PDB file of all heavy atoms in Angstrom:
ATOM      1  N   ILE O  52      -5.378 -11.754   6.273  1.00 98.00           N
ATOM      2  CA  ILE O  52      -5.664 -10.423   6.360  1.00 98.00           C
ATOM      3  C   ILE O  52      -4.490  -9.540   6.577  1.00 98.00           C
ATOM      4  O   ILE O  52      -4.257  -8.511   5.961  1.00 98.00           O
ATOM      5  CB  ILE O  52      -6.852 -10.133   7.421  1.00 98.00           C
ATOM      6  CG1 ILE O  52      -8.147 -10.675   6.893  1.00 98.00           C
ATOM      7  CG2 ILE O  52      -6.956  -8.634   7.696  1.00 98.00           C
ATOM      8  CD1 ILE O  52      -9.307 -10.414   7.836  1.00 98.00           C
ATOM      9  N   LEU O  53      -3.627  -9.989   7.564  1.00 98.00           N
ATOM     10  CA  LEU O  53      -2.492  -9.192   7.987  1.00 98.00           C
ATOM     11  C   LEU O  53      -1.582  -9.065   6.749  1.00 98.00           C
ATOM     12  O   LEU O  53      -1.050  -8.021   6.413  1.00 98.00           O
ATOM     13  CB  LEU O  53      -1.733  -9.934   9.126  1.00 98.00           C
ATOM     14  CG  LEU O  53      -0.511  -9.189   9.596  1.00 98.00           C
ATOM     15  CD1 LEU O  53      -0.845  -7.808  10.037  1.00 98.00           C
ATOM     16  CD2 LEU O  53       0.149  -9.913  10.755  1.00 98.00           C
ATOM     17  N   ASN O  54      -1.438 -10.072   6.008  1.00 98.00           N
ATOM     18  CA  ASN O  54      -0.551 -10.149   4.855  1.00 98.00           C
ATOM     19  C   ASN O  54      -1.160  -9.128   3.749  1.00 98.00           C
ATOM     20  O   ASN O  54      -0.367  -8.317   3.183  1.00 98.00           O
ATOM     21  CB  ASN O  54      -0.443 -11.509   4.093  1.00 98.00           C
ATOM     22  CG  ASN O  54       0.315 -12.418   5.017  1.00 98.00           C
ATOM     23  OD1 ASN O  54       1.174 -12.052   5.797  1.00 98.00           O
ATOM     24  ND2 ASN O  54       0.089 -13.693   4.820  1.00 98.00           N
ATOM     25  N   SER O  55      -2.408  -9.024   3.553  1.00 98.00           N
ATOM     26  CA  SER O  55      -3.018  -8.162   2.680  1.00 98.00           C
ATOM     27  C   SER O  55      -2.858  -6.678   3.185  1.00 98.00           C
ATOM     28  O   SER O  55      -2.546  -5.856   2.407  1.00 98.00           O
ATOM     29  CB  SER O  55      -4.526  -8.383   2.422  1.00 98.00           C
ATOM     30  OG  SER O  55      -4.672  -9.587   1.734  1.00 98.00           O
ATOM     31  N   LEU O  56      -3.013  -6.508   4.506  1.00 98.00           N
ATOM     32  CA  LEU O  56      -2.793  -5.113   5.071  1.00 98.00           C
ATOM     33  C   LEU O  56      -1.393  -4.749   4.894  1.00 98.00           C
ATOM     34  O   LEU O  56      -1.201  -3.534   4.660  1.00 98.00           O
ATOM     35  CB  LEU O  56      -3.331  -5.162   6.472  1.00 98.00           C
ATOM     36  CG  LEU O  56      -4.806  -5.355   6.676  1.00 98.00           C
ATOM     37  CD1 LEU O  56      -5.078  -5.355   8.114  1.00 98.00           C
ATOM     38  CD2 LEU O  56      -5.620  -4.200   6.102  1.00 98.00           C
ATOM     39  N   ASN O  57      -0.475  -5.593   5.143  1.00 98.00           N
ATOM     40  CA  ASN O  57       0.973  -5.259   4.896  1.00 98.00           C
ATOM     41  C   ASN O  57       1.197  -4.861   3.428  1.00 98.00           C
ATOM     42  O   ASN O  57       2.035  -3.939   3.240  1.00 98.00           O
ATOM     43  CB  ASN O  57       1.840  -6.428   5.266  1.00 98.00           C
ATOM     44  CG  ASN O  57       1.940  -6.599   6.736  1.00 98.00           C
ATOM     45  OD1 ASN O  57       1.793  -5.717   7.533  1.00 98.00           O
ATOM     46  ND2 ASN O  57       2.262  -7.752   7.176  1.00 98.00           N
ATOM     47  N   GLU O  58       0.577  -5.505   2.518  1.00 98.00           N
ATOM     48  CA  GLU O  58       0.806  -5.234   1.092  1.00 98.00           C
ATOM     49  C   GLU O  58       0.107  -3.789   0.861  1.00 98.00           C
ATOM     50  O   GLU O  58       0.702  -2.995   0.075  1.00 98.00           O
ATOM     51  CB  GLU O  58       0.199  -6.306   0.208  1.00 98.00           C
ATOM     52  CG  GLU O  58       0.340  -5.934  -1.316  1.00 98.00           C
ATOM     53  CD  GLU O  58       1.875  -6.094  -1.715  1.00 98.00           C
ATOM     54  OE1 GLU O  58       2.637  -6.652  -0.986  1.00 98.00           O
ATOM     55  OE2 GLU O  58       2.147  -5.528  -2.765  1.00 98.00           O
ATOM     56  N   LEU O  59      -1.027  -3.568   1.328  1.00 98.00           N
ATOM     57  CA  LEU O  59      -1.614  -2.290   1.210  1.00 98.00           C
ATOM     58  C   LEU O  59      -0.809  -1.087   1.786  1.00 98.00           C
ATOM     59  O   LEU O  59      -0.688  -0.061   1.188  1.00 98.00           O
ATOM     60  CB  LEU O  59      -3.085  -2.281   1.789  1.00 98.00           C
ATOM     61  CG  LEU O  59      -4.109  -3.058   1.030  1.00 98.00           C
ATOM     62  CD1 LEU O  59      -5.343  -3.279   1.901  1.00 98.00           C
ATOM     63  CD2 LEU O  59      -4.447  -2.369  -0.303  1.00 98.00           C
ATOM     64  N   GLU O  60      -0.238  -1.416   2.907  1.00 98.00           N
ATOM     65  CA  GLU O  60       0.608  -0.395   3.545  1.00 98.00           C
ATOM     66  C   GLU O  60       1.832  -0.164   2.666  1.00 98.00           C
ATOM     67  O   GLU O  60       2.278   1.046   2.492  1.00 98.00           O
ATOM     68  CB  GLU O  60       1.061  -0.897   4.917  1.00 98.00           C
ATOM     69  CG  GLU O  60       1.862   0.106   5.708  1.00 98.00           C
ATOM     70  CD  GLU O  60       2.082  -0.513   7.133  1.00 98.00           C
ATOM     71  OE1 GLU O  60       2.659  -1.697   7.204  1.00 98.00           O
ATOM     72  OE2 GLU O  60       1.847   0.185   8.043  1.00 98.00           O
ATOM     73  N   PHE O  61       2.385  -1.171   2.085  1.00 98.00           N
ATOM     74  CA  PHE O  61       3.544  -0.975   1.168  1.00 98.00           C
ATOM     75  C   PHE O  61       3.191  -0.217  -0.062  1.00 98.00           C
ATOM     76  O   PHE O  61       3.869   0.718  -0.390  1.00 98.00           O
ATOM     77  CB  PHE O  61       4.076  -2.373   0.737  1.00 98.00           C
ATOM     78  CG  PHE O  61       5.142  -2.280  -0.358  1.00 98.00           C
ATOM     79  CD1 PHE O  61       6.340  -1.845  -0.052  1.00 98.00           C
ATOM     80  CD2 PHE O  61       4.803  -2.734  -1.573  1.00 98.00           C
ATOM     81  CE1 PHE O  61       7.411  -1.804  -1.085  1.00 98.00           C
ATOM     82  CE2 PHE O  61       5.717  -2.619  -2.713  1.00 98.00           C
ATOM     83  CZ  PHE O  61       6.990  -2.124  -2.350  1.00 98.00           C
ATOM     84  N   LEU O  62       1.988  -0.500  -0.681  1.00 97.00           N
ATOM     85  CA  LEU O  62       1.580   0.166  -1.746  1.00 97.00           C
ATOM     86  C   LEU O  62       1.301   1.706  -1.506  1.00 97.00           C
ATOM     87  O   LEU O  62       1.645   2.601  -2.260  1.00 97.00           O
ATOM     88  CB  LEU O  62       0.304  -0.476  -2.414  1.00 97.00           C
ATOM     89  CG  LEU O  62       0.530  -1.849  -2.985  1.00 97.00           C
ATOM     90  CD1 LEU O  62      -0.802  -2.425  -3.455  1.00 97.00           C
ATOM     91  CD2 LEU O  62       1.512  -1.851  -4.079  1.00 97.00           C
ATOM     92  N   ARG O  63       0.807   1.944  -0.308  1.00 98.00           N
ATOM     93  CA  ARG O  63       0.485   3.282   0.191  1.00 98.00           C
ATOM     94  C   ARG O  63       1.824   4.029   0.387  1.00 98.00           C
ATOM     95  O   ARG O  63       1.976   5.259  -0.071  1.00 98.00           O
ATOM     96  CB  ARG O  63      -0.359   3.205   1.432  1.00 98.00           C
ATOM     97  CG  ARG O  63      -0.542   4.577   1.995  1.00 98.00           C
ATOM     98  CD  ARG O  63      -1.446   5.460   1.105  1.00 98.00           C
ATOM     99  NE  ARG O  63      -1.661   6.748   1.771  1.00 98.00           N
ATOM    100  CZ  ARG O  63      -1.416   7.883   1.178  1.00 98.00           C
ATOM    101  NH1 ARG O  63      -0.990   7.940  -0.149  1.00 98.00           N
ATOM    102  NH2 ARG O  63      -1.614   9.130   1.682  1.00 98.00           N
TER     103      ARG O  63
END
Side-chain angles (χ1 to χ4, degrees):
I52 286 179
L53 182 59
N54 291 335
S55 289
L56 292 173
N57 285 335
E58 184 64 21
L59 286 165
E60 185 176 51
F61 170 75
L62 295 174
R63 177 67 180 124

